[in-house]
Amino acid sequence: MPTTVNYRQRNGRVKRRYLRRRLEILGAAGREFRVRGFAETGMRDIAAAASLSPANLYNYFRGKHEILFFCQDNSLDRLIAALDKARRMRASAAAKLRMVIASHLRCLLDEVEGSAAHLLTAALPARQRRFLIAKRDRYESGVRNLIAAGMRSGEFVPADAALAVRAILGSLNWSVQWFKPEGPLTATQIADGFADYLIRGLLAKPDRPRRNPFEREPVPTARKSVWQEVRKRASAR
């Protein structure tokens, strides 16, 4: 007869496999949402992309709206965890904000491929939408407080912290509309360019923002290519 410890270990492995499979399905669904659009993507399309039968897919998700909710909820959990980590750092406000920006873009563009659906909250039922909006507001409030602390310390220029955080998060979230995984820029390179541009506008001194000491220095030419690529794609729209 298995011991309680063995049972818990086995149960934990089953849960991890289940979550891993849901994330794989999320990635497949995200690719379909990106190519077909959310409204035009059916569960059969997602099942085929995930190499599952439609019946097996329903063992993980009851419908594409549940996949969309899981995408949003999972992304917000990652964003809040990264924000909490940044706030605990013994570092400048600029370094903390840089980490938040980098984590935000890595989550949307790299870690959770299904985040192509990040801006589709309105497609969800009202109860799920209210839950996600409350969690999103919690995250936005945390980033706003981080910026406000930088303003109080004199590191950032005095400004409307609420307006600043909406400008920053708005530009980050919109990146899912033009980012291409097969494009020449990685999510890390884009995050580095965004952080340089957005933080520089907040700094009280015109110096270059200090980097998060836990991040590598990027290749010097990569930062320039970020904004060349963004401008090129913006003009082509």
Side-chain angles (χ1 to χ4, degrees), residues 7 24-25 31 42 50 59 69 75 90 96 105 112 117 122 135 149 152 157 169 172 175 182 187 208 211 213 229 235:
Y7 175 79
E24 291 171 355
I25 293 169
R31 292 189 291 272
N59 290 327
F69 175 79
S75 296
R90 295 177 61 87
K96 292 179 180 180
L105 279 179
V112 185
K135 187 176 282 191
R152 289 193 299 270
V157 294
L169 296 183
L172 298 179
S175 65
E182 68 278 7
R208 180 181 179 79
R211 292 187 174 280
E229 184 68 18
S235 62

Coordinates of all heavy atoms in Angstrom, one line a residue, residues 7 24-25 31 42 50 59 69 75 90 96 105 112 117 122 135 149 152 157 169 172 175 182 187 208 211 213 229 235:
Y7 N 2.0 9.0 -2.3 CA 0.7 9.5 -2.9 C 0.8 10.9 -3.3 O 0.4 11.4 -4.4 CB -0.5 9.2 -2.0 CG -1.8 9.7 -2.5 CD1 -2.5 9.0 -3.5 CD2 -2.3 10.9 -2.0 CE1 -3.7 9.5 -4.0 CE2 -3.5 11.4 -2.5 CZ -4.2 10.7 -3.5 OH -5.4 11.2 -4.0
E24 N 1.0 24.1 -23.0 CA 1.3 23.8 -24.4 C 0.1 24.0 -25.2 O 0.2 24.6 -26.4 CB 1.7 22.3 -24.4 CG 3.0 21.9 -23.8 CD 3.3 20.4 -23.7 OE1 2.3 19.7 -24.0 OE2 4.4 20.1 -23.3
I25 N -1.1 23.7 -24.7 CA -2.3 24.0 -25.5 C -2.5 25.5 -25.6 O -2.9 26.0 -26.7 CB -3.5 23.4 -24.8 CG1 -3.4 21.9 -24.9 CG2 -4.8 23.9 -25.4 CD1 -4.5 21.2 -24.0
R31 N -1.0 30.8 -31.1 CA -0.5 30.8 -32.5 C -1.7 30.9 -33.4 O -1.7 31.6 -34.4 CB 0.3 29.6 -32.8 CG 1.7 29.7 -32.1 CD 2.6 28.6 -32.6 NE 2.2 27.2 -32.3 CZ 2.5 26.6 -31.1 NH1 3.3 27.3 -30.2 NH2 2.1 25.4 -30.9
G42 N -11.6 28.0 -34.0 CA -12.5 27.1 -33.3 C -11.7 26.1 -32.5 O -10.5 26.0 -32.6
A50 N -2.5 21.7 -31.4 CA -1.9 21.1 -30.2 C -1.7 19.6 -30.4 O -1.3 18.9 -29.4 CB -2.8 21.4 -29.0
N59 N -10.8 17.7 -22.3 CA -10.3 17.3 -20.9 C -9.5 18.4 -20.2 O -9.3 18.3 -19.0 CB -9.5 16.0 -21.1 CG -10.3 14.8 -21.5 OD1 -11.4 14.7 -21.1 ND2 -9.7 13.9 -22.2
F69 N -9.3 33.0 -20.8 CA -9.2 33.3 -19.4 C -7.9 32.8 -18.8 O -7.3 33.5 -18.0 CB -10.4 32.8 -18.7 CG -10.4 33.0 -17.2 CD1 -10.7 34.3 -16.7 CD2 -10.0 32.0 -16.3 CE1 -10.6 34.5 -15.3 CE2 -9.9 32.3 -14.9 CZ -10.2 33.5 -14.4
S75 N -0.9 35.0 -17.2 CA 0.0 36.2 -17.5 C 0.0 37.2 -16.3 O 1.1 37.6 -15.9 CB -0.5 36.9 -18.8 OG -0.4 36.1 -19.9
R90 N 17.1 45.6 -3.5 CA 17.8 46.8 -3.0 C 18.5 47.5 -4.1 O 19.7 47.2 -4.5 CB 18.8 46.3 -1.9 CG 18.2 45.6 -0.7 CD 19.3 45.1 0.3 NE 20.1 46.2 0.8 CZ 19.9 47.0 1.8 NH1 18.7 46.7 2.5 NH2 20.7 47.9 2.2
K96 N 14.5 49.0 -10.6 CA 13.3 48.2 -10.3 C 12.3 48.3 -11.5 O 11.7 47.3 -11.9 CB 12.6 48.7 -9.1 CG 13.4 48.4 -7.8 CD 12.7 49.0 -6.6 CE 13.5 48.7 -5.3 NZ 12.9 49.3 -4.1
L105 N 7.4 42.4 -20.8 CA 7.5 42.0 -22.2 C 7.9 40.6 -22.4 O 7.4 39.9 -23.3 CB 8.5 43.0 -22.9 CG 7.9 44.3 -23.3 CD1 9.0 45.2 -23.9 CD2 6.7 44.2 -24.2
V112 N 4.8 33.2 -22.4 CA 3.4 32.7 -22.6 C 3.0 33.1 -24.0 O 2.5 34.2 -24.2 CB 2.4 33.3 -21.5 CG1 1.1 32.7 -21.7 CG2 3.0 33.1 -20.1
A117 N -3.4 37.0 -27.1 CA -4.8 37.3 -26.8 C -4.9 38.2 -25.6 O -6.0 38.4 -25.1 CB -5.5 36.0 -26.6
A122 N -12.4 41.9 -23.4 CA -13.8 42.1 -23.7 C -14.6 40.9 -24.2 O -15.8 40.9 -24.2 CB -14.0 43.3 -24.6
K135 N -7.5 42.0 -10.9 CA -6.1 41.6 -10.8 C -5.2 42.5 -11.6 O -4.1 42.9 -11.1 CB -6.0 40.2 -11.3 CG -4.6 39.6 -11.1 CD -4.6 38.1 -11.5 CE -5.2 37.2 -10.4 NZ -4.9 35.8 -10.7
A149 N 7.2 56.3 -5.8 CA 8.3 56.2 -4.9 C 9.6 56.9 -5.5 O 10.3 57.6 -4.8 CB 8.6 54.8 -4.4
R152 N 9.1 60.6 -5.3 CA 9.3 61.1 -4.0 C 10.8 61.2 -3.6 O 11.2 62.1 -2.9 CB 8.5 60.3 -2.9 CG 7.0 60.4 -3.0 CD 6.3 59.8 -1.8 NE 6.6 58.4 -1.7 CZ 5.9 57.4 -2.2 NH1 4.8 57.8 -2.9 NH2 6.2 56.2 -2.1
V157 N 11.4 62.6 -12.2 CA 10.8 64.0 -12.2 C 9.4 64.0 -11.6 O 8.7 63.0 -11.8 CB 10.8 64.6 -13.7 CG1 12.2 64.8 -14.2 CG2 9.9 63.6 -14.6
L169 N 2.5 51.0 -19.5 CA 1.8 49.8 -19.7 C 1.1 49.7 -21.0 O 1.0 48.6 -21.6 CB 0.9 49.5 -18.5 CG 1.5 49.3 -17.1 CD1 0.4 49.0 -16.1 CD2 2.6 48.3 -17.1
L172 N 3.7 48.9 -23.6 CA 4.1 47.5 -23.5 C 3.1 46.5 -24.0 O 3.4 45.6 -24.8 CB 4.5 47.2 -22.0 CG 5.6 48.0 -21.4 CD1 5.8 47.6 -19.9 CD2 6.9 47.8 -22.2
S175 N 2.6 46.0 -27.8 CA 3.6 45.2 -28.5 C 3.1 43.9 -29.0 O 3.6 43.4 -30.0 CB 4.8 45.0 -27.7 OG 4.6 44.2 -26.6
E182 N 9.0 35.2 -35.3 CA 10.0 34.8 -36.3 C 10.8 36.1 -36.7 O 11.6 36.0 -37.6 CB 9.3 34.2 -37.5 CG 8.4 35.1 -38.3 CD 7.0 35.2 -37.7 OE1 6.8 34.7 -36.6 OE2 6.2 35.8 -38.4
A187 N 12.4 39.0 -27.7 CA 11.6 39.8 -26.7 C 12.6 40.5 -25.7 O 12.3 41.6 -25.3 CB 10.8 38.8 -25.9
R208 N 22.1 58.2 -18.3 CA 21.5 57.0 -18.8 C 21.0 56.2 -17.6 O 21.7 56.1 -16.6 CB 22.6 56.2 -19.5 CG 22.1 54.8 -20.0 CD 23.3 54.1 -20.6 NE 22.9 52.8 -21.1 CZ 22.3 52.6 -22.2 NH1 22.0 53.6 -23.0 NH2 21.9 51.3 -22.6
R211 N 21.4 50.2 -15.0 CA 20.8 48.9 -15.3 C 20.6 48.0 -14.1 O 21.3 48.1 -13.1 CB 21.7 48.1 -16.3 CG 21.8 48.8 -17.6 CD 22.6 47.9 -18.6 NE 22.6 48.5 -19.9 CZ 21.5 48.3 -20.7 NH1 20.5 47.6 -20.4 NH2 21.5 48.9 -21.9
P213 N 21.4 45.1 -12.1 CA 22.6 44.4 -12.0 C 22.5 42.9 -12.4 O 23.5 42.2 -12.6 CB 23.1 44.6 -10.6 CG 21.8 44.8 -9.8 CD 21.0 45.6 -10.8
E229 N 13.4 48.9 -36.3 CA 12.4 47.9 -36.6 C 11.0 48.4 -36.3 O 10.0 48.2 -37.0 CB 12.7 46.6 -35.9 CG 11.7 45.4 -36.3 CD 11.9 45.0 -37.8 OE1 12.9 45.3 -38.4 OE2 11.0 44.3 -38.3
S235 N 5.4 52.3 -39.9 CA 5.1 53.0 -41.2 C 4.5 52.1 -42.2 O 3.8 52.6 -43.2 CB 6.4 53.5 -41.7 OG 7.4 52.5 -42.0

